[in-house]
């Protein structure tokens, strides 16, 4: 009987210790950053930067004002070879849950960019200026 009690006590203590250790993370989860890698087509740099300074900036500022994103940035990238991007577009979200606010984001986009048909045409227009090479999403871990 004592042996069973000892095993049960050890199991309970191990469970408590494991729970306590898992709650003692050495970091907290920070913002989520999305980066898009853009290759600008020859002769289209000025046109693409004009798009970024116009409609893109207006959309990002509206998303920021609505609390959908916390910040955004455009980086010029020194490509070392023809397959690398010329530009990186970065968008920072407060957390992963912010990505679930699709209806709100669509409403902000419609207000700034117009109807779905207008947004599709704008996407086609951007396609002649640049190629999206890929994207990545990552979350900052803030060390304690």
């Amino acid at each position: 009987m004592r042996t069973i009690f000892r095993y049960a006590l050890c199991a309970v203590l191990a469970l408590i210790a494991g729970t306590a250790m898992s709650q003692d993370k050495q970091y907290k989860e920070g913002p989520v950053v999305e980066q898009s890698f853009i290759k600008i087509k020859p002769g289209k740099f000025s046109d693409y930067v004009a798009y970024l300074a116009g409609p893109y900036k207006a959309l990002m500022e509206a998303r920021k004002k609505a609390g959908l994103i916390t910040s955004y940035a455009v980086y010029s990238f020194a490509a070392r070879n023809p397959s690398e991007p010329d530009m990186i577009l970065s968008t920072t979200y407060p957390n992963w849950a912010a990505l679930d606010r699709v209806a709100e984001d669509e409403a902000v986009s419609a207000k700034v960019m117009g109807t779905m048909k207008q947004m599709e045409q704008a996407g086609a227009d951007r396609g002649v200026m640049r190629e999206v090479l890929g994207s990545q999403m990552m979350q900052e871990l803030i060390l304690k």
Side-chain angles (χ1 to χ4, degrees):
M1 186 69 166
R2 285 183 149 188
T3 306
I4 293 174
F5 177 74
R6 285 183 188 157
Y7 284 128
L9 181 60
C10 287
V12 169
L13 291 175
L15 182 63
I16 291 170
T19 303
M21 286 179 15
S22 67
Q23 291 175 350
D24 189 29
K25 295 190 294 189
Q26 298 300 309
Y27 63 91
K28 70 176 186 174
E29 293 162 346
V32 173
V33 178
E34 178 181 25
Q35 293 180 323
S36 296
F37 304 101
I38 308 298
K39 181 73 175 172
I40 302 170
K41 293 188 178 176
K44 297 296 182 179
F45 183 83
S46 294
D47 293 339
Y48 191 61
V49 171
Y51 159 74
L52 291 173
Y56 178 80
K57 181 178 180 182
L59 177 61
M60 293 310 223
E61 288 296 329
R63 286 177 171 166
K64 199 168 148 183
K65 185 176 179 183
L68 297 168
I69 65 172
T70 57
S71 67
Y72 66 97
V74 176
Y75 299 96
S76 176
F77 190 80
R80 296 171 294 189
N81 64 59
S83 66
E84 289 187 338
D86 301 308
M87 201 168 276
I88 297 173
L89 307 180
S90 178
T91 306
T92 304
Y93 301 88
N95 51 43
W96 289 110
L99 299 171
D100 291 335
R101 297 172 65 185
V102 177
E104 291 172 76
D105 189 52
E106 287 174 350
V108 168
S109 296
K111 193 177 217 180
V112 175
M113 304 296 283
T115 66
M116 183 58 76
K117 189 159 186 74
Q118 290 171 318
M119 285 188 261
E120 288 173 355
Q121 183 59 50
D125 294 345
R126 283 192 309 278
V128 300
M129 295 186 274
R130 51 100 178 180
E131 176 186 357
V132 178
L133 300 179
S135 64
Q136 67 183 10
M137 294 192 83
M138 59 197 135
Q139 184 171 37
E140 180 182 3
L141 298 181
I142 301 167
L143 303 176
K144 291 183 179 179

